[in-house]
Amino acid sequence: MSPDQFWTSQDGQILTVKNKDERTVTLTLAFWPRNPAEFEFQKANLAALKFTERSSMARIGIEMLVHGAPRVEGNRVELEADAFIYDPSFPNAPYWKKLLRVGSPVGRLFYAPAAAKLTTAEIWTAIKENRLKLPNTISIDRLGRVFLTPHQVSYTLNPKLLRPNFERVVSGNAGRSYLDRVQVRHDAAPLTIPPHSGILTSCSMYLKEHFVVLNQGEGNFGIHTSAVLLDPIKTFGTNVMLEIYNTGDQPVVNPVVSVELFRAPEAADPEFKSLTKKRTRLLSTAGELYKCLDGNPAREASEARPRTKVSVRGQSATMENRCVVVRANEELKKVLEGEICPIGFRTMIQALDAAPENADTLILDYFPDLLEHIELVTRIGEVKLKRLIFRKASRTHGYFLSSNAHARLDMFDAMGLQIHWYDELTKDLYTHIYKKEHGFFVREEMARRFQEATILAFYGSAHGLDEADTARISSLVEKLTSFIGSNLGVLTGGGGGVMRLATDQARGKGALTGACFLELEAQPPELGVDFFNTFQEASRHFRQKWFEAADFCIFNVGGVGTLEEIGIEMCNLKLGIRPRVPYIFFNAKFWGDLRKQVAHMIRTKRAPAWMADYLLFTDDPDEVVAFYRKKLQVL
């Protein structure tokens, strides 16, 4: 760790809670380092460490003010803080003290060196190059401070929320996405903070390579809570929350927030190269192992003995699934180079029961089904697995995963087990990586770029397009690539027509390409994308949730399938599952009747009136970019 780089700790916890007076409790906050090197860094820069509260705590009205300097206690850093509720009108005000319990996550420490701070010129250059998007209301002074006014909206906590709801927020089991759904939005022009109260408001900000630190202010425009740190990647959208309270006897009208920008540590090229080499080695090893498994009989062993004795429709965990458990290091090469055959076992159960003591990698023919999953979980404490590699998604559906299989992927991730797909169709190895809580298979060295990318979901028919539509869509991809910046991704259903065109155009611009492949005879998957997942035909509606990983939706000429997807996405917009961002219907004539139908639904109060503000029906790529700037409220 360099003293010139921005740094953040992992989440700290409440160590002690003591009642101070009727309004305040005193907390001891503890922060454990990730490793000895980080602890040495903390001790060397102790006086410069600052605290940022969890935003979800600030959003339910709890403020924490640090007093005194950080100190080292044993193997951790500790801080003292006074906590209080900054607005007594919040529904949790009568019992907020009881929400603060020992062990609750509270926030992080951070280190913001002057060397990492952007100058005024650097901020302006980053904005012009689309590496950074800030609100269109900003002013930048010569010291590199950015001043912005929030959106003309305020949010209140739903008065129907009960104490268990707030307990989930404080414990960390319900985070920002939950609060986004349950808070109530109000238009507020002008935005006003009454005396001795606070507001929740928002701004638009898209960070990829930078941290933002909010200045709490002197109180003239209100005080921002101690939730002052905005992260790259996580801080992405039109609903970046700001919590401001007014301690004075006079109202504050249209508060102004001041922020400073810092460079995030860059991922060095050697890391990319080392991950590429790692994947290549693992790909080669897995390929050789599968070749060996295919070419040789299974090892003779006693009958597979499941521990759970569960069978479903005549199937059990004793079904054949050629499998071997190994340690992925030089010992594995010795196995392959030798003449140790037969190799592997007929079933996963036999392989796990015979696993070497130091084994860390489970290699299977098929991704574990439900019954195999149960057996694996019962043995996970005995076999210290780090990774699982499979080459076939399903015994019955080949390349396509079921909705239950996706649930098992989520559980493996929660257990800390890394999942790799040895894809025989593309002859490559992919790692299961999450973006916005939805998993995709990505080459491991591309994971960071994938997680940082702005993703556009392109919807449309698999049938061919006419020349005019082809030219318009090609121009649109070019214009959006220029507006959004270099790290762009396009997500489609993985078929032909609009989907192939958007994918080819994106690839030609150096953007990432992705697909949610669906098991359809009429639409075989077009492989070769950078990130993907697969879904069985019965999981069609389930698959649509994976498009929530995209930041924006563009609907091109399509059929009833596209119409179904439009219905789901617009319902997501209405319910707040999708934030209020532009929805583009590209080909105004084709979607003209839909436009009339939406207008009719709004007139008859079957859809909210505000929804129309976020829908654009057009043929003009320049109008799309202008609409994005206006609705996202960014430069």
Side-chain angles (χ1 to χ4, degrees):
M1 282 170 286
S2 166
D4 292 336
Q5 288 185 340
F6 200 97
W7 168 86
T8 62
S9 74
Q10 57 186 353
D11 245 335
Q13 297 178 352
I14 296 177
L15 199 61
T16 65
V17 183
K18 296 178 182 178
N19 195 53
K20 183 175 182 179
D21 53 43
E22 184 178 345
R23 183 173 177 265
T24 311
V25 296
T26 297
L27 307 175
T28 301
L29 313 179
F31 304 85
W32 283 267
R34 299 177 181 89
N35 50 58
E38 185 173 76
F39 194 31
E40 291 302 316
F41 176 84
Q42 288 176 306
K43 289 189 287 187
N45 297 280
L46 201 59
L49 300 183
K50 298 178 182 178
F51 171 69
T52 179
E53 182 186 4
R54 279 180 62 221
S55 62
S56 55
M57 297 275 269
R59 286 172 67 174
I60 63 171
I62 298 175
E63 169 70 313
M64 297 180 186
L65 297 181
V66 172
H67 54 84
R71 62 181 184 275
V72 175
E73 292 287 346
N75 63 343
R76 61 179 181 263
V77 173
E78 292 185 4
L79 272 176
E80 300 295 326
D82 284 343
F84 58 90
I85 192 160
Y86 59 78
D87 191 320
S89 71
F90 282 24
N92 55 316
Y95 51 82
W96 73 271
K97 287 184 180 182
K98 296 178 181 178
L99 299 174
L100 299 175
R101 299 173 182 172
V102 172
S104 296
V106 288
R108 294 172 291 164
L109 297 175
F110 68 94
Y111 172 72
K117 185 176 179 295
L118 270 66
T119 64
T120 301
E122 288 172 328
I123 294 170
W124 188 235
T125 298
I127 291 172
K128 290 188 293 183
E129 293 178 352
N130 293 309
R131 292 186 290 109
L132 172 69
K133 290 201 177 296
L134 296 179
N136 55 10
T137 59
I138 65 166
S139 299
I140 313 173
D141 72 8
R142 60 186 178 82
L143 300 177
R145 293 177 300 184
V146 178
F147 297 83
L148 62 95
T149 55
H151 294 154
Q152 296 285 287
V153 296
S154 67
Y155 302 87
T156 54
L157 299 174
N158 193 320
K160 295 180 181 179
L161 291 175
L162 302 175
R163 180 169 167 177
N165 303 119
F166 290 106
E167 288 176 345
R168 288 177 59 212
V169 173
V170 173
S171 67
N173 293 322
R176 291 179 292 184
S177 59
Y178 170 76
L179 288 172
D180 287 344
R181 292 194 300 272
V182 300
Q183 67 191 9
V184 182
R185 176 184 168 118
H186 313 274
D187 291 330
L191 184 63
T192 304
I193 314 176
H196 307 292
S197 64
I199 62 163
L200 306 177
T201 184
S202 61
C203 69
S204 299
M205 201 174 294
Y206 292 80
L207 305 180
K208 295 180 182 180
E209 306 168 4
H210 305 90
F211 285 95
V212 163
V213 177
L214 292 108
N215 299 310
Q216 288 189 270
E218 299 176 353
N220 297 337
F221 285 103
I223 298 173
H224 194 279
T225 64
S226 57
V228 295
L229 182 62
L230 302 178
D231 291 7
I233 304 175
K234 290 181 182 178
T235 306
F236 197 90
T238 59
N239 198 33
V240 177
M241 295 301 296
L242 303 170
E243 312 87 22
I244 308 169
Y245 59 98
N246 177 11
T247 59
D249 297 323
Q250 297 293 319
V252 170
V253 181
N254 287 337
V256 175
V257 174
S258 167
V259 305
E260 295 178 322
L261 279 76
F262 295 83
R263 280 179 289 274
E266 294 182 7
D269 283 342
E271 180 182 348
F272 179 91
K273 293 176 181 177
S274 65
L275 287 174
T276 304
K277 290 179 180 178
K278 175 187 172 185
R279 179 180 59 81
T280 303
R281 286 196 300 268
L282 196 58
L283 172 65
S284 174
T285 299
E288 291 298 322
L289 261 177
Y290 281 122
K291 183 178 178 181
C292 193
L293 287 172
D294 291 340
N296 296 281
R299 290 174 59 181
E300 292 185 9
S302 57
E303 185 179 355
R305 295 187 175 88
R307 294 182 181 179
T308 54
K309 312 296 183 186
V310 176
S311 63
V312 177
R313 298 173 184 169
Q315 298 182 345
S316 73
T318 61
M319 295 175 64
E320 183 168 341
N321 191 358
R322 286 299 301 275
C323 179
V324 62
V325 183
V326 296
R327 182 171 177 80
N329 64 2
E330 295 300 321
E331 296 173 16
L332 184 56
K333 290 184 178 180
K334 295 177 182 177
V335 172
L336 292 171
E337 290 170 358
E339 297 180 358
I340 305 175
C341 285
I343 186 171
F345 292 86
R346 186 183 67 84
T347 70
M348 187 195 75
I349 291 175
Q350 293 168 315
L352 289 171
D353 288 342
E357 184 177 349
N358 62 352
D360 61 9
T361 302
L362 171 63
I363 298 181
L364 313 97
D365 197 13
Y366 297 103
F367 183 72
D369 65 15
L370 175 60
L371 303 174
E372 290 172 318
H373 178 86
I374 293 170
E375 292 293 332
L376 175 56
V377 170
T378 65
R379 292 165 169 81
I380 203 69
E382 302 163 14
V383 185
K384 306 299 183 184
L385 294 177
K386 294 180 180 178
R387 65 187 64 83
L388 180 154
I389 304 174
F390 71 95
R391 64 172 170 174
K392 298 172 186 174
S394 167
R395 289 180 172 87
T396 55
H397 293 261
Y399 196 64
F400 301 94
L401 292 158
S402 68
S403 56
N404 286 327
H406 283 284
R408 295 194 289 278
L409 282 166
D410 290 340
M411 185 172 178
F412 285 141
D413 176 73
M415 294 164 57
L417 191 62
Q418 195 172 54
I419 306 300
H420 302 274
W421 187 343
Y422 177 77
D423 183 5
E424 291 186 302
L425 294 177
T426 60
K427 304 298 182 186
D428 215 332
L429 189 75
Y430 299 89
T431 305
H432 194 240
I433 301 294
Y434 283 82
K435 184 177 180 71
K436 294 186 179 180
E437 301 180 358
H438 297 297
F440 289 84
F441 288 96
V442 186
R443 294 178 186 87
E444 191 171 4
E445 69 272 17
M446 299 293 289
R448 174 165 173 155
R449 185 183 171 195
F450 165 66
Q451 290 170 326
E452 292 178 352
T454 302
I455 305 296
L456 298 173
F458 264 78
Y459 295 95
S461 174
H463 294 294
L465 298 167
D466 62 30
E467 290 185 11
D469 274 329
T470 299
R472 277 195 296 265
I473 293 172
S474 301
S475 177
L476 178 62
V477 173
E478 182 177 354
K479 301 274 187 182
L480 288 176
T481 303
S482 176
F483 168 65
I484 290 172
S486 58
N487 197 4
L488 178 72
V490 167
L491 176 62
T492 74
V498 167
M499 294 174 279
R500 181 190 297 130
L501 175 61
T503 298
D504 290 345
Q505 290 294 318
R507 187 179 289 119
K509 296 294 181 183
L512 294 177
T513 58
C516 291
F517 294 123
L518 183 63
E519 181 187 24
L520 292 173
E521 290 183 9
Q523 185 179 301
E526 301 201 356
L527 306 177
V529 293
D530 299 304
F531 60 96
F532 70 93
N533 217 321
T534 70
F535 303 85
Q536 292 178 11
E537 188 171 8
S539 301
R540 189 176 83 255
H541 295 97
F542 178 76
R543 173 188 78 149
Q544 190 60 32
K545 293 187 67 64
W546 265 250
F547 282 90
E548 292 171 14
D551 300 290
F552 307 110
C553 301
I554 297 173
F555 302 103
N556 300 278
V557 172
V560 290
T562 304
L563 199 59
E564 177 185 56
E565 293 157 346
I566 289 171
I568 294 172
E569 281 291 359
M570 290 186 70
C571 191
N572 285 344
L573 177 63
K574 172 192 170 184
L575 296 175
I577 296 170
R578 173 78 68 182
R580 296 189 186 188
V581 296
Y583 275 47
I584 308 301
F585 295 84
F586 203 56
N587 191 317
K589 181 179 179 180
F590 183 85
W591 295 115
D593 289 335
L594 177 63
R595 185 178 192 174
K596 294 175 185 176
Q597 182 64 38
V598 172
H600 179 70
M601 287 190 290
I602 291 173
R603 280 196 305 272
T604 55
K605 302 190 184 304
R606 288 174 170 83
W610 59 259
M611 183 179 286
D613 294 337
Y614 295 90
L615 310 182
L616 176 67
F617 296 80
T618 185
D619 300 323
D620 185 355
D622 290 318
E623 190 178 2
V624 173
V625 173
F627 191 66
Y628 271 108
R629 288 193 187 277
K630 179 182 177 181
K631 292 303 172 183
L632 300 181
Q633 300 182 48
V634 294
L635 290 172

